[in-house]
Amino acid sequence: MAQHQTVLVLDYGSQFTQLIARRVRELNVYCEIVRFDHGAQAVRERQPAAIILSGGPASVTAADAPDLDPAILEAGVPILGICYGLQVLTRTLGGTVAPSALREYGKAYLKIEDDGDLLGHLDEARVQVWMSHGDHVAAPAPGFKVLARSEDGVVAAVADRARRFYGVQFHPEVAHTPRGTRMLRNFLFEIAGFTGDWTPASFVDEAVERIRAQVGDARVVCGLSGGVDSAVAAALIHKAIGDRMTCVFVDNGLLRAGEAEQVVEVFGERFHWDLRHVDASERFLSELDGVSDPETKRKIIGRVFVEVFEEVAATIPDATFLAQGTLYPDVIESESVRGPAAVIKSHHNVGGLPEKMNLKVVEPLRELFKDEVRVAGLELGLPEAIVWRQPFPGPGLAIRVIGELSAERLQVLRNADLIVREEMRTAGLERAIWQGFAVLLPVRSVGVMGDDRTYEDVLAIRCVASLDGMTADWYPMPHEVLGRMSTRIINEVAGVNRVVYDISSKPPATIEWE
């Protein structure tokens, strides 16, 4: 199996750490993230060809600041420190870091003193970067040369070319540093000597090889929702073992209009996979009838899903493996250096299956980010309608009907949501919008329709732009598109007489309302 040149990112807790890995992978270089305290021996065992030290929220001058194991610096590979990574590299090697009299946050410009290697090929007189720091490098470590300063005179980039150690005070991985990708390319290709051997095609071939080695002659059961993650995982497994994969599609009655039919048509009728379609909608809706608390909804849906899946799996006696669409952010989230996060809500992806099923787990996507999953899906020949399907929560429409749940309210929402999606598609906005959907509120309002007074439901439209769902901005929907959505919903969906648009970003709001 191919061994890719690898960049190892030591995570010091930056909100941009995942973005570093994404930018590196966009340059066709394989990248992994580990905690900053992963250990020098463990780092060496991974055989990285370069190391990046991420930013972080701590002050390197604090007594309990995350440190850098000096033994890692003896690995003999190029190292790039970013923001906090620069400061901890400087301090570890004998330089001085001090609190800044003038802190720099946001847009800044470089005064380049040496445009070789790291800062080469930028082709701009003023190079814009994104700063976010309260400390600064007061004196670079011995052997380091200053490559650039900010216009305020703060050290912005340094290099020890003999040891191939570099550091920048700004964030090259963010969009607000327009030439940041060029800088990362300089580090990876010109300084570290990478060749760029990480591609979607190579991933697919190697994933198939790994699945065959892990599964052997056994049968795999795969939960298929119709979303991109489960679909790509299933496609990889089918490519590897063919008909020894059985997909289970549990229709919980909480899907959007046409989705159940799409799953059956694509994977059962067009691809001819072994697909078990279980219509459990009445069972789910019976358990959810009258339930209004969002956490109770999630727990009921998760429990019933497990029960139904267990019952189906029991009819596949030779199943040995359970396929899961775990992605790389799910893997590294469990190793976050930021400590336990507050519980905002139960996870959207219901269906943590019990150990008593005695199935071994196969996770073919655990190396990928969401955008890479989509590229792999296209490489595997999946339809674009599946590959580019917007993220959809495991509890489905149950958490978009705010308050008490009923089959009638679900149908009102399903009809309105279909109109929202149709108008997004007509306007060519499906890919510009990360998620666009309707929410049925537990609010009624007075209206006039014809000559009659009405007192009916209020419906909200929620559309956001995002890269990964961690943060999101409300989408500035063209007024004419919003107008068509509102007019059609009020005219075509019985029971709704008022439509509103949600203009809240995440944070402070979440993407879903429940």
Side-chain angles (χ1 to χ4, degrees):
M1 197 170 298
Q3 177 65 45
H4 291 281
Q5 294 173 301
T6 299
V7 172
L8 201 60
V9 177
L10 302 192
D11 182 13
Y12 284 89
S14 170
Q15 61 180 316
F16 302 130
T17 298
Q18 289 192 30
L19 189 55
I20 296 172
R22 292 166 68 96
R23 292 288 179 261
V24 170
R25 290 185 179 194
E26 287 169 2
L27 294 169
N28 294 332
V29 172
Y30 184 62
C31 184
E32 292 183 350
I33 300 171
V34 296
R35 286 176 56 104
F36 73 93
D37 55 1
H38 193 60
Q41 179 60 35
V43 167
R44 282 193 292 270
E45 288 173 356
R46 289 177 178 264
Q47 299 181 315
I51 294 171
I52 295 178
L53 312 176
S54 84
S59 168
V60 76
T61 63
D64 59 349
D67 59 9
L68 171 62
D69 185 345
I72 289 175
L73 303 178
E74 299 172 6
V77 301
I79 294 177
L80 173 64
I82 295 176
C83 199
Y84 184 93
L86 161 65
Q87 296 170 7
V88 74
L89 180 65
T90 297
R91 185 162 179 153
T92 302
L93 290 171
T96 303
V97 178
S100 298
L102 179 64
R103 298 183 297 175
E104 294 179 311
Y105 293 97
K107 185 186 298 184
Y109 291 89
L110 297 185
K111 294 176 65 176
I112 296 177
E113 300 177 9
D114 185 330
D115 63 358
D117 53 35
L118 184 67
L119 300 182
H121 313 292
L122 300 184
D123 304 323
E124 291 182 5
R126 295 182 79 213
V127 178
Q128 177 185 316
V129 296
W130 190 259
M131 294 282 193
S132 181
H133 66 98
D135 296 334
H136 73 289
V137 174
F144 280 81
K145 176 184 180 181
V146 175
L147 303 181
R149 301 178 189 272
S150 71
E151 291 184 329
D152 294 322
V154 175
V155 173
V158 299
D160 179 341
R161 290 188 169 113
R163 288 183 287 183
R164 296 188 295 174
F165 291 171
Y166 293 78
V168 294
Q169 186 57 73
F170 52 89
H171 288 277
E173 69 274 22
V174 303
H176 300 293
T177 302
R179 301 297 286 156
T181 299
R182 176 73 249 191
M183 299 175 196
L184 291 173
R185 176 182 289 276
N186 289 341
F187 174 71
L188 295 171
F189 292 89
E190 298 193 12
I191 295 168
F194 280 81
T195 59
D197 62 356
W198 169 253
T199 65
S202 68
F203 166 77
V204 168
D205 291 342
E206 291 158 23
V208 166
E209 190 177 342
R210 281 194 297 271
I211 292 166
R212 287 172 178 162
Q214 180 184 4
V215 171
D217 296 329
R219 175 169 292 278
V220 176
V221 59
C222 178
L224 186 63
S225 68
V228 62
D229 299 343
S230 66
V232 174
L236 279 169
I237 293 167
H238 190 269
K239 185 176 177 68
I241 65 172
D243 292 339
R244 286 187 287 112
M245 177 188 72
T246 296
C247 288
V248 177
F249 168 50
V250 177
D251 181 355
N252 57 16
L254 306 171
L255 301 176
R256 294 174 289 194
E259 287 186 331
E261 294 82 0
Q262 182 188 49
V263 170
V264 173
E265 189 276 326
V266 171
F267 300 106
E269 298 172 7
R270 194 188 313 178
F271 287 178
H272 304 293
W273 290 358
D274 180 9
L275 176 65
R276 311 288 175 91
H277 174 206
V278 185
D279 184 356
S281 54
E282 290 187 8
R283 182 167 170 178
F284 278 88
L285 295 182
S286 174
E287 296 256 10
L288 290 164
D289 187 46
V291 175
S292 59
D293 178 70
E295 280 299 288
T296 303
K297 290 178 185 177
R298 292 173 185 275
K299 290 175 181 176
I300 289 173
I301 294 166
R303 172 179 57 78
V304 176
F305 176 84
V306 169
E307 292 172 357
V308 173
F309 198 97
E310 278 189 297
E311 291 166 8
V312 178
T315 68
I316 313 170
D318 58 340
T320 305
F321 286 87
L322 170 67
Q324 295 187 166
T326 307
L327 302 190
Y328 194 48
D330 301 324
V331 175
I332 59 179
E333 182 66 25
S334 64
E335 297 186 354
S336 169
V337 306
R338 292 187 290 274
V343 176
I344 298 173
K345 57 182 177 291
S346 299
H347 200 275
H348 286 325
N349 296 318
V350 298
L353 297 175
E355 293 180 3
K356 67 180 180 181
M357 290 185 70
N358 294 319
L359 295 176
K360 302 172 186 176
V361 175
V362 55
E363 297 172 314
L365 305 180
R366 61 182 288 114
E367 296 176 348
L368 301 188
F369 290 102
K370 175 73 79 172
D371 51 344
E372 295 171 325
V373 171
R374 288 196 165 104
V375 175
L378 294 174
E379 185 74 24
L380 287 159
L382 290 176
E384 289 198 2
I386 297 293
V387 171
W388 290 103
R389 196 182 88 154
Q390 292 184 351
F392 187 59
L397 298 182
I399 58 169
R400 293 178 180 173
V401 172
I402 310 302
E404 188 170 312
L405 202 60
S406 68
E408 292 74 22
R409 287 178 64 76
L410 276 168
Q411 193 56 48
V412 169
L413 176 60
R414 189 174 285 115
N415 293 340
D417 185 79
L418 178 61
I419 292 171
V420 170
R421 291 188 291 131
E422 286 176 347
E423 291 299 332
M424 282 195 301
R425 187 181 308 116
T426 299
L429 297 175
E430 277 188 306
R431 296 192 189 179
I433 295 172
W434 168 262
Q435 279 183 265
F437 54 90
V439 181
L440 186 61
L441 306 186
V443 176
R444 304 183 79 188
S445 75
V446 174
V448 177
M449 302 180 81
D451 293 326
D452 294 327
R453 175 184 181 276
T454 62
Y455 190 56
E456 295 180 335
D457 289 327
V458 178
L459 185 121
I461 297 173
R462 174 76 158 147
C463 296
V464 299
S466 178
L467 287 175
D468 52 19
M470 300 295 291
T471 61
D473 292 324
W474 61 273
Y475 188 79
M477 185 72 72
H479 290 178
E480 61 273 17
V481 179
L482 275 178
R484 287 197 300 271
M485 289 178 178
S486 177
T487 299
R488 284 193 59 195
I489 289 169
I490 292 172
N491 287 347
E492 299 175 28
V493 180
V496 176
N497 69 354
R498 190 179 299 268
V499 175
V500 298
Y501 191 61
D502 181 346
I503 57 169
S504 309
S505 295
K506 176 187 179 181
T510 56
I511 293 178
E512 299 292 344
W513 278 49
E514 285 192 341

